[in-house]
Amino acid sequence: MFIDHAKITVKAGKGGDGAVAFHREKYVASGGPDGGDGGKGGNVVFQVDDNLSTLADFRYKRKYVAPSGENGRGARCNGKSGKDLIVRVPRGTLVKEAETGRILADLSSDEPQVIAKGGRGGWGNIHFATPTRQTPRFAKPGTPGESFELILELKLLADVGLVGYPNVGKSTLVSVVSEAKPTIGNYHFTTITPVLGVVRLKDGRSFVMADIPGLIEGAGEGVGLGHQFLRHVDRCRLLVHIVDVAGSEGRDPKQDFEIINTELKKFNPELAERPMLVAGNKCDLATDEQIEDFKNYVEGKGYEFFPIMAAIRYDVDPLLNRISELLSKLPPVKRYEPEPLPQKPVEDFEKNAVKITKQDNIYMVEGEWLLQVINSVNFDDYESLQYFQRVLIQTGVIDALRDAGIQEGDTVSIYEIEFDFVE
């Protein structure tokens, strides 16, 4: 079964806690702190696997959790970092955050993508020793790893997409110009999954052609199989609209042409602007007058027309040569850029509970919601820093620190962020 949509949950590993330990050795008095740091939590990494063609595996396993980092130990021994969890997906998979629809990654290249970052390991007490604090009896805990509920959406990577009504000859054309062997039958929806084929021309040029399952009126709203597979047209650089020019099933070719174009536009207005060639198939069943009439109609709308008989490969080469010529001038296959985490308006924040622990004038603030705020802040940007400060004030963190007894110049530690408190 062809599965091109899945919903899963991923969670990166928690960072290991730092250790509180002191050096113990014969003849060494007051050895001092030597607690090691916790290990980093494992990341959740997505990797393209060309042996996969669908998202079927994600129907049965929906939760992916990376290992946590080990805690630090005495004798300055750092904990071992958690191993990254590799999730393999077919090429062309889009990874989106389920709640917001934000694109996290486009798995179209061989480069692995870190989707959920593991938590940072906590510092051992060795880091907190100062001339005035020689025996720190505290350490930092590790931070939680990122977790997301994700939508995986497969969008096939093809240069050319064949669109049109069912049973107009799309599968037949793919089968005669490439090594692909789609199921071909004289009935609607013979093709129920997209089929990719590599077309190789005599001069060495090649391109990837996709046979998109037949569309019908209402496909943009989910009628038939169209809505499920229209997403695979989205990346195609060029569309070839196959039309039964003979009207062999009692339909009007002109009406078919307009209906399919309307459905493409409903699904994504950009598709209406995509370069398109029109191939009139089954010319052996049509009269010369029918072919000429449809050709004049299509060319009157600004499209190039190619009469073909796909079953016997008649006049297919001019179409393929024109496709290759156009592809050489068109931009590469569409890639989606990851979208940054938006900063939530300060006015939308309510007072949130935080845990404050005081250790030798260091006030450690914990609260999982703060991690989301930190991830959205660019600490090298002044305006972003101002946003972070407003969030701390409006959510009651600053008031909670005052209630805990913080004084001017004391250190505030919020996970990996540290700063001196200033009134």
Side-chain angles (χ1 to χ4, degrees):
M1 182 180 294
F2 186 83
I3 305 296
D4 59 359
H5 195 270
K7 188 174 185 178
I8 65 171
T9 300
V10 298
K11 183 175 177 59
K14 175 185 177 298
D17 297 336
V20 176
F22 296 91
H23 186 67
R24 295 290 182 265
E25 185 179 348
K26 193 174 181 180
Y27 305 122
V28 178
S30 303
D34 68 349
D37 300 340
K40 180 183 176 297
N43 300 321
V44 179
V45 181
F46 278 54
Q47 172 72 61
V48 166
D49 186 341
D50 287 323
N51 292 317
L52 300 175
S53 57
T54 79
L55 299 174
D57 291 347
F58 299 98
R59 295 186 67 195
Y60 308 105
K61 184 177 179 182
R62 297 179 182 270
K63 191 170 184 179
Y64 295 80
V65 181
S68 296
E70 293 183 356
N71 295 335
R73 297 183 294 278
R76 305 191 181 193
C77 292
N78 295 337
K80 185 179 179 181
S81 294
K83 188 177 181 181
D84 289 348
L85 176 66
I86 307 297
V87 180
R88 302 191 181 278
V89 295
R91 191 178 297 275
T93 300
L94 277 185
V95 182
K96 298 181 179 180
E97 191 175 7
E99 184 178 354
T100 63
R102 178 170 66 100
I103 296 175
L104 301 181
D106 180 355
L107 276 301
S108 298
S109 66
D110 294 327
E111 184 180 354
Q113 300 287 332
V114 177
I115 300 300
K117 295 179 181 177
R120 297 182 65 170
W123 283 355
N125 66 339
I126 189 174
H127 291 277
F128 299 99
T130 67
T132 58
R133 183 176 59 230
Q134 298 182 1
T135 57
R137 299 184 180 277
F138 62 92
K140 264 193 173 183
T143 61
E146 291 182 325
S147 63
F148 295 103
E149 191 172 39
L150 301 175
I151 296 294
L152 305 184
E153 187 176 303
L154 177 59
K155 289 176 179 277
L156 294 181
L157 294 171
D159 298 298
V160 183
L162 303 183
V163 297
Y165 256 85
N167 214 32
V168 295
K170 300 187 298 298
S171 298
T172 301
L173 179 61
V174 170
S175 70
V176 300
V177 300
S178 74
E179 297 298 319
K181 300 301 176 188
T183 303
I184 301 174
N186 188 26
Y187 56 90
H188 285 195
F189 302 117
T190 310
T191 304
I192 59 174
T193 67
V195 176
L196 294 181
V198 179
V199 180
R200 305 185 191 280
L201 304 184
K202 294 179 180 178
D203 59 4
R205 293 175 295 171
S206 65
F207 54 85
V208 178
M209 180 179 285
D211 171 16
I212 309 298
L215 309 178
I216 60 175
E217 188 170 7
E221 287 78 40
V223 177
L225 298 177
H227 186 256
Q228 185 179 358
F229 297 116
L230 270 168
R231 66 172 63 94
H232 298 298
V233 186
D234 190 43
R235 291 192 195 260
C236 295
R237 302 160 62 197
L238 174 70
L239 301 180
V240 176
H241 194 150
I242 310 293
V243 181
D244 176 1
V245 73
S248 60
E249 296 191 343
R251 296 193 309 270
D252 179 1
K254 298 176 185 177
Q255 187 178 11
D256 284 3
F257 179 76
E258 293 299 335
I259 287 174
I260 297 303
N261 283 354
T262 299
E263 295 305 323
L264 293 172
K265 187 173 182 179
K266 283 181 182 177
F267 180 77
N268 183 351
E270 289 183 13
L271 291 178
E273 308 300 324
R274 199 72 49 90
M276 178 186 288
L277 301 177
V278 182
N281 192 29
K282 304 186 180 181
C283 288
D284 51 325
L285 303 179
T287 64
D288 292 341
E289 290 77 13
Q290 284 178 303
I291 297 172
E292 189 65 25
D293 180 55
F294 187 71
K295 175 184 177 183
N296 293 335
Y297 174 77
V298 168
E299 291 181 344
K301 290 183 171 292
Y303 297 102
E304 294 183 61
F305 177 72
F306 295 83
I308 64 171
M309 290 180 242
I312 60 173
R313 214 180 191 281
Y314 180 80
D315 267 358
V316 168
D317 287 338
L319 172 63
L320 299 182
N321 289 330
R322 183 56 178 156
I323 289 173
S324 180
E325 183 182 344
L326 288 176
L327 288 176
S328 67
K329 303 173 184 177
L330 292 175
V333 174
K334 182 177 180 180
R335 299 287 197 274
Y336 291 86
E337 293 298 324
E339 299 171 1
L341 181 66
Q343 290 185 343
K344 187 178 178 181
V346 178
E347 296 74 18
D348 291 352
F349 280 102
E350 299 177 356
K351 293 222 171 188
N352 289 281
V354 291
K355 178 184 175 183
I356 298 179
T357 307
K358 179 185 177 185
Q359 298 283 357
D360 294 342
N361 296 328
I362 295 179
Y363 290 78
M364 290 184 283
V365 183
E366 296 178 69
E368 286 199 21
W369 65 273
L370 280 169
L371 283 170
Q372 299 176 3
V373 176
I374 290 171
N375 289 337
S376 69
V377 172
N378 176 8
F379 289 94
D380 295 324
D381 179 72
Y382 178 76
E383 289 187 4
S384 198
L385 276 175
Q386 292 289 95
Y387 165 82
F388 182 61
Q389 184 178 12
R390 292 196 302 272
V391 170
L392 295 182
I393 293 171
Q394 187 149 330
T395 56
V397 174
I398 298 300
D399 289 339
L401 286 167
R402 290 195 184 103
D403 292 342
I406 196 167
Q407 299 296 320
E408 181 105 8
D410 289 343
T411 300
V412 179
S413 175
I414 306 177
Y415 296 106
E416 66 265 30
I417 306 302
E418 288 193 354
F419 56 91
D420 291 335
F421 183 79
V422 178
E423 284 286 359

